[in-house]
Amino acid sequence: MSSSKLLRGTFILTLGTFISKFLGLFYVIPFYWIMGGAGPMTLYNFGYVPYQIFLGIATAGVPLAVAKYVAKYNAIGEYEIGRRLFRTGVYLMLATGVVSFVAMYALAPVLAGLQSIEGSGYTVEDVTGVIRAVSFALIVIPVMSLIRGFFQGYQSMGPSAVSQVIEQIVRIAFLLVGSATVLYILHGTVVSAISIATFAAFIGALASLVCLLWYFFKRKKGLDALLRTSKGEVKVSLPSMYKDIFITAIPFVVVGIASSLYQQIDQFTFGRILTWIGYSGHEAENLLGIVNFSAQKLVIIPVSLATAFSMTIVPLVTAAYARGEQENVKKQLNDVFQVLLFITLPACIGMALLAEPLYTVFYEHDPAGIQILAFYAPVAILLSLFSVTAAILQGIDEQRFTILSLLIGLLTKSIFQMPLMMWMGARGSVAATGLGYTVSVIFAMIIIRKYANYNFSVILRRTVLMLILNLVMAIAVLLAYQGFTLFINPESKFSSMLLLILCGGVGALVYGYLSLRLRLFDKVFGPRAATIRRKLRIKA
């Protein structure tokens, strides 16, 4: 396959993923207003977070593995092996999907009992209904994901990209229209509206599956023609292949559901701790909605961007490590961490400083939400580092430590959740999450240092320089914010948007100028910095 075709396919898939994530992040604005605040978001998450965990278990990394093996055997002309893997994979994903659906549907009352907050206004039966509504998506999504993997194995990224976007558009349209119809036309309950919103996952998955099947049958003639040219010289045991798939996929699955596992700990403990120390059930429900939905949706934006940039370098780390090129591994690791920190540090610090206008633009001017977002934003740096260090561990073939890293972090979160919440209230939950990720990241870095023989001294020096630049940027942003708020009221949406543009612009200009002037940009992104500096007439 030509490099231009590979780049085109990668671009298409990246674009589809970006559009899908963009839609998945920004639908929260109208949804928040339809539902009338953060409280109902808690009920939504009571269904959605367990669903994401069940989904991770149901797919178990098989779709990604199918893409890998189909591509591998297609490259040597053994098309029959890939087709057999796909055929058996469909049955396997149907089976795991149905089993997961039945398990989640049956366990719904237990999960609801563990998550319900006394005095919140939502009964165990309400939460049970929401969990059962979203569980139907488990029947469809594993098979749908497998078909995407099959197409990717043929280096055909279009079907995956298009189906991702269709899935999100249909899901969000059904979610918004359905919940609004229930509340404002049929005058139904919030519970019914949230059940419709979670059931939207099934409708979106169904639309995506129909799209993928259309692509499959449209291309079947060509795929069958390739199948007839299969060499048939290689004999492969499918059971042994599936054994390898599950062994190698488990760490990927665990990392994929890490954030959901942290959220699930909150949903089991958050409300009980707050009500025990004197908060009302309604207050606890509202604060959990902010921590696990409203604020979390915002802090995940810089995490997604930074991780996407740095993850493009991880395959280069893997390749260099496999070839035994130690110096190249060190260079690639330096690049990964530098890109990640260069983007994440100013984004998260800026988010913390501008939490008031940011939260107001997305939701409303809520002091509790603003305070939690400002506290949560720096934790996003740790979330980014966890994702990347976990990927590096897999790249250097030490994925067994990925699971241990996550388990240590979850244990830390569980141990410190109660004492920190008793001390700090709702922010204590965020602090416990940050502490958990800190322990995981430190452990992962120790393993990377040992097994990749990597010295973090360069990254520590660059991090110190980045922190100094971010301190200067933070002072500039704070001064600008204090000045602009003398005549711009941050309590309205339009004014908050104006503040974000003005103060965010000041921060970006200061950080960008200093990065170019002190050649930090050169160290992170290479020689292209000289061209930018020359065009902007900045002296180094």
Side-chain angles (χ1 to χ4, degrees):
M1 190 176 117
S2 68
S3 60
S4 61
K5 188 177 177 184
L6 177 63
L7 287 170
R8 178 177 171 272
T10 305
F11 172 75
I12 290 169
L13 187 58
T14 304
L15 182 64
T17 304
F18 176 79
I19 294 170
S20 177
K21 284 187 177 293
F22 179 85
L23 292 169
L25 287 169
F26 289 96
Y27 83 91
V28 300
I29 301 172
F31 187 44
Y32 183 92
W33 283 101
I34 288 168
M35 299 313 303
M41 300 300 104
T42 302
L43 183 59
Y44 178 83
N45 263 15
F46 280 162
Y48 218 79
V49 172
Y51 155 73
Q52 288 173 315
I53 296 170
F54 273 87
L55 181 61
I57 296 167
T59 53
V62 171
L64 279 173
V66 165
K68 173 185 167 183
Y69 281 111
V70 167
K72 175 184 174 181
Y73 289 108
N74 281 0
I76 58 173
E78 295 288 352
Y79 297 101
E80 172 59 32
I81 295 173
R83 184 64 73 89
R84 272 200 300 138
L85 184 63
F86 172 64
R87 210 164 36 235
T88 54
V90 167
Y91 293 123
L92 179 63
M93 291 293 93
L94 271 173
T96 58
V98 170
V99 169
S100 298
F101 158 68
V102 170
M104 188 173 180
Y105 195 93
L107 289 171
V110 178
L111 290 168
L114 289 169
Q115 295 181 115
S116 296
I117 301 172
E118 190 178 339
S120 68
Y122 300 126
T123 65
V124 171
E125 289 73 24
D126 293 337
V127 180
T128 299
V130 170
I131 293 170
R132 284 179 169 168
V134 74
S135 67
F136 285 92
L138 292 168
I139 302 170
V140 180
I141 290 185
V143 174
M144 178 203 74
S145 302
L146 184 88
I147 300 173
R148 283 181 185 166
F150 176 71
F151 278 119
Q152 287 170 31
Y154 277 85
Q155 308 298 338
S156 178
M157 307 303 177
S160 290
V162 173
S163 67
Q164 274 184 327
V165 174
I166 286 175
E167 180 185 5
Q168 279 288 45
I169 289 172
V170 171
R171 182 180 78 86
I172 291 167
F174 188 88
L175 178 149
L176 296 176
V177 173
S179 56
T181 301
V182 168
L183 284 177
Y184 302 109
I185 297 176
L186 302 177
H187 303 292
T189 64
V190 168
V191 176
S192 299
I194 291 292
S195 296
I196 288 289
T198 54
F199 186 71
F202 172 74
I203 301 298
L206 211 55
S208 176
L209 181 62
V210 169
C211 170
L212 289 164
L213 289 174
W214 179 81
Y215 271 110
F216 181 79
F217 287 112
K218 182 186 175 187
R219 299 183 180 184
K220 193 171 186 303
K221 190 176 178 181
L223 293 169
D224 288 345
L226 284 174
L227 190 61
R228 287 191 290 272
T229 66
S230 187
K231 292 179 180 178
E233 296 170 358
V234 178
K235 301 297 176 188
V236 175
S237 165
L238 285 181
S240 65
M241 193 184 291
Y242 275 115
K243 181 184 174 184
D244 290 341
I245 286 171
F246 288 122
I247 290 171
T248 56
I250 287 170
F252 289 93
V253 173
V254 169
V255 172
I257 62 173
S259 178
S260 297
L261 291 170
Y262 272 90
Q263 286 181 296
Q264 194 63 72
I265 291 172
D266 279 333
Q267 291 183 183
F268 284 157
T269 61
F270 189 100
R272 286 178 171 81
I273 295 170
L274 285 189
T275 52
W276 186 70
I277 61 176
Y279 286 75
S280 71
H282 180 71
E283 286 175 320
E285 169 213 322
N286 190 61
L287 289 168
L288 180 55
I290 293 169
V291 169
N292 259 9
F293 188 90
S294 308
Q296 196 264 351
K297 284 287 185 183
L298 293 176
V299 299
I300 214 73
I301 297 172
V303 173
S304 299
L305 288 172
T307 307
F309 274 108
S310 54
M311 284 295 192
T312 57
I313 306 169
V314 170
L316 300 175
V317 176
T318 307
Y321 186 79
R323 292 191 298 264
E325 299 170 357
Q326 189 60 40
E327 288 306 310
N328 201 8
V329 170
K330 290 178 182 177
K331 180 188 178 302
Q332 301 296 353
L333 286 175
N334 283 340
D335 289 345
V336 169
F337 287 116
Q338 285 179 161
V339 170
L340 180 75
L341 292 168
F342 185 84
I343 297 168
T344 310
L345 282 172
C348 296
I349 290 169
M351 186 175 280
L353 295 172
L354 301 174
E356 184 175 23
L358 185 62
Y359 198 89
T360 304
V361 165
F362 270 78
Y363 307 112
E364 61 185 320
H365 193 270
D366 177 8
I370 292 163
Q371 186 187 53
I372 289 170
L373 176 60
F375 194 76
Y376 205 152
V379 176
I381 299 164
L382 297 166
L383 270 70
S384 301
L385 283 168
F386 172 77
S387 297
V388 170
T389 53
I392 291 169
L393 286 177
Q394 290 157 6
I396 63 172
D397 205 25
E398 296 297 338
Q399 51 264 29
R400 56 197 168 136
F401 290 110
T402 308
I403 300 172
L404 186 56
S405 163
L406 176 61
L407 290 175
I408 293 170
L410 290 171
L411 180 62
T412 304
K413 158 85 170 169
S414 302
I415 291 170
F416 287 95
Q417 177 89 335
M418 189 166 187
L420 285 173
M421 286 188 71
M422 289 174 69
W423 175 36
M424 305 168 71
R427 289 181 302 162
S429 166
V430 177
T433 296
L435 202 55
Y437 277 116
T438 300
V439 171
S440 291
V441 168
I442 291 171
F443 177 79
M445 285 180 169
I446 291 169
I447 299 301
I448 292 167
R449 179 187 174 90
K450 180 180 178 181
Y451 288 92
N453 195 25
Y454 177 68
N455 192 324
F456 282 90
S457 58
V458 172
I459 296 303
L460 287 172
R461 288 199 304 272
R462 298 278 158 79
T463 302
V464 170
L465 177 57
M466 288 180 198
L467 287 171
I468 293 169
L469 298 193
N470 275 281
L471 178 62
V472 177
M473 179 203 73
I475 293 168
V477 170
L478 279 173
L479 289 173
Y481 189 69
Q482 292 300 320
F484 287 128
T485 49
L486 292 173
F487 52 90
I488 299 176
N489 182 6
E491 294 188 13
S492 78
K493 282 186 176 293
F494 179 77
S495 299
S496 289
M497 177 64 77
L498 193 59
L499 280 169
L500 280 177
I501 293 168
L502 293 170
C503 298
V506 168
L509 285 171
V510 170
Y511 188 68
Y513 174 80
L514 291 174
S515 299
L516 288 164
R517 184 71 190 266
L518 299 176
R519 291 187 177 274
L520 175 62
F521 202 94
D522 304 55
K523 294 178 175 69
V524 177
F525 295 106
R528 73 193 71 171
T531 308
I532 298 170
R533 200 164 33 245
R534 190 168 57 252
K535 286 181 178 179
L536 296 175
R537 298 178 182 177
I538 296 172
K539 292 181 180 179

